[in-house]
Amino acid sequence: MLNRRHLRVKVLQSLYAYHQSNSGDIKQHEKNLLQTIDKVYEMYIWMLSLISEVTSYAENDAEERANKHLPTADDLNANVKILSNRFILSLHQNKEYLAGLKKYKIAWDFEPELVKSLFIILKNSEEYKEYLKKTGDTIQTDKDIIKFIFKKVILKSSIAEQVFEDKFLYWPVDKDVLQALIAKTFKNFAHDEPELNNLAEVTGNWEEDREFIVNLFEESIRHNDAYQLLITSKTQNWEPDRIAMMDTLLMKMAIAEFINFSSIPVKVTINEYLEISKEFSTPKSNSFINGILDKILGELKTENKIKKVGRGLIE
């Protein structure tokens, strides 16, 4: 699921888009921010659907083999055991999944060869052959072959990778989140009764997380000029063009958290933005941001502008 670091990255991306655009429409950019969260869930539903499509292709494959000009006995009796896979049958009865298919208008007919190529890889694998031989299956053993399809067939496919990258702008960043959501789904689907199996949630508490990202986004924009002055006062030996835009945005977000988020310890804020900088900014950004934020934090403490609720949150 999306943790607070992921959510901060979403805000960072939206702030970057806001400052790069000619539009000062904060509400529209805020709407776009919330849509990036929904896009993660949409990606999740698309992936579950692709897994389902791959298993369902067993029926097409069996028909093609039976209709060969000179079918063998094996062709006429193709093993379609995977069509009764408990995980897939449970997924097909899941109301959230069915609602997602409808909401996002999911259909794979735009990429007709993808599902077939993935099934062929699956069919030729030793893992699938062993699965077909196995008897006495349970929800757990049925999940094992689905995990294999996801991890070793779909995620290893350059074609599938390209499809998701073309469809989802932030696929390179959100791919790890997607894997966590699918892993959570495997954990959740532990019952033979489909009604007891739930999809993964995109965030731990959407009500709180929505408030967090909206407030962080708005506060970073509302006090942009004031935060810029703070940063400028601590970077007088640096020419503005030498400071990466991402570094500036990360520092403004951190200042917003220092001042406006009373329940987040300052150490957590600093550590989070230093970690984000490693992935989204320059190699030297980590130490640069750390030094500047330390100076700004000292000034804000002196001016008594940091109000944290709870012991030790200000240290």
Side-chain angles (χ1 to χ4, degrees):
M1 67 176 66
L2 288 163
N3 58 33
R4 282 295 173 94
R5 184 174 300 167
H6 295 130
L7 293 172
R8 286 179 173 96
V9 168
K10 292 297 179 191
V11 175
L12 174 66
Q13 291 167 336
S14 295
L15 284 171
Y16 183 83
Y18 173 81
H19 287 289
Q20 290 292 95
S21 73
N22 295 320
S23 166
D25 188 346
I26 296 176
K27 287 300 175 184
Q28 181 56 51
H29 283 275
E30 188 178 295
K31 181 181 177 181
N32 294 344
L33 165 61
L34 295 173
Q35 285 177 345
T36 66
I37 307 297
D38 187 61
K39 275 292 180 184
V40 174
Y41 187 72
E42 180 182 350
M43 183 194 305
Y44 168 56
I45 299 296
W46 273 96
M47 182 57 76
L48 288 174
S49 172
L50 182 56
I51 294 171
S52 171
E53 290 289 322
V54 172
T55 63
S56 296
Y57 198 84
E59 185 171 7
N60 300 62
D61 181 69
E63 288 178 7
E64 289 173 8
R65 291 173 66 182
N67 290 326
K68 281 181 179 179
H69 178 57
L70 294 171
T72 64
D74 284 343
D75 289 331
L76 293 172
N77 296 281
N79 191 332
V80 291
K81 165 185 168 180
I82 200 165
L83 296 178
S84 57
N85 183 281
R86 290 168 180 79
F87 177 89
I88 296 298
L89 293 179
S90 185
L91 182 65
H92 289 171
Q93 295 180 62
N94 185 279
K95 292 180 180 178
E96 295 168 297
Y97 172 69
L98 295 175
L101 293 180
K102 185 176 180 181
K103 176 182 177 181
Y104 301 118
K105 299 180 174 61
I106 292 177
W108 285 97
D109 48 9
F110 71 96
E111 194 69 45
E113 290 303 308
L114 174 62
V115 173
K116 181 178 181 179
S117 66
L118 293 174
F119 180 78
I120 290 171
I121 294 170
L122 172 66
K123 186 174 74 168
N124 292 330
S125 70
E126 290 303 316
E127 286 80 359
Y128 186 63
K129 292 171 186 175
E130 286 300 316
Y131 165 75
L132 294 180
K133 291 177 188 174
K134 204 176 290 181
T135 58
D137 289 302
T138 64
I139 182 69
Q140 185 57 52
T141 59
D142 276 357
K143 282 193 293 186
D144 288 341
I145 191 63
I146 303 302
K147 289 177 184 177
F148 175 78
I149 293 170
F150 173 61
K151 294 179 180 178
K152 302 300 183 181
V153 178
I154 296 177
L155 289 185
K156 298 290 184 182
S157 165
S158 58
I159 303 173
E161 175 93 12
Q162 192 60 55
V163 168
F164 277 90
E165 194 166 340
D166 290 345
K167 193 163 189 61
F168 297 99
L169 178 63
Y170 296 120
W171 165 256
V173 176
D174 293 337
K175 184 178 177 181
D176 288 345
V177 178
L178 172 68
Q179 292 185 58
L181 289 171
I182 297 292
K184 181 66 174 174
T185 309
F186 289 139
K187 185 177 180 181
N188 287 354
F189 277 53
H191 308 280
D192 287 320
E193 301 83 359
E195 65 275 10
L196 298 179
N197 298 326
N198 299 311
L199 295 189
E201 295 181 348
V202 175
T203 73
N205 185 325
W206 176 234
E207 190 175 335
E208 287 184 7
D209 290 335
R210 185 186 190 283
E211 182 181 6
F212 171 72
I213 61 173
V214 169
N215 287 347
L216 181 57
F217 181 74
E218 289 182 348
E219 292 296 333
S220 298
I221 292 175
R222 183 178 294 120
H223 302 289
N224 179 68
D225 293 345
Y227 296 166
Q228 183 60 58
L229 283 174
L230 264 176
I231 294 168
T232 301
S233 70
K234 300 295 181 284
T235 55
Q236 291 178 352
N237 295 329
W238 292 74
E239 295 190 19
D241 329 350
R242 291 184 58 207
I243 302 175
M245 184 177 181
M246 280 297 187
D247 291 357
T248 301
L249 291 176
L250 287 168
M251 288 188 284
K252 287 175 181 176
M253 290 171 68
I255 297 167
E257 283 192 30
F258 287 160
I259 299 173
N260 303 292
F261 291 77
S262 60
S263 63
I264 302 177
V266 293
K267 280 185 179 178
V268 169
T269 293
I270 292 173
N271 288 338
E272 285 291 280
Y273 289 108
L274 292 182
E275 288 302 313
I276 292 171
S277 72
K278 292 177 184 177
E279 187 172 354
F280 292 92
S281 202
T282 68
K284 295 182 179 179
S285 292
N286 185 273
S287 56
F288 172 71
I289 290 173
N290 190 31
I292 302 305
L293 285 181
D294 187 57
K295 292 176 183 177
I296 290 173
L297 182 60
E299 181 178 325
L300 293 174
K301 283 180 180 179
T302 301
E303 295 176 355
N304 203 28
K305 288 184 178 179
I306 298 183
K307 310 290 183 184
K308 298 290 181 181
V309 178
R311 181 176 295 178
L313 297 191
I314 203 168
E315 297 304 324

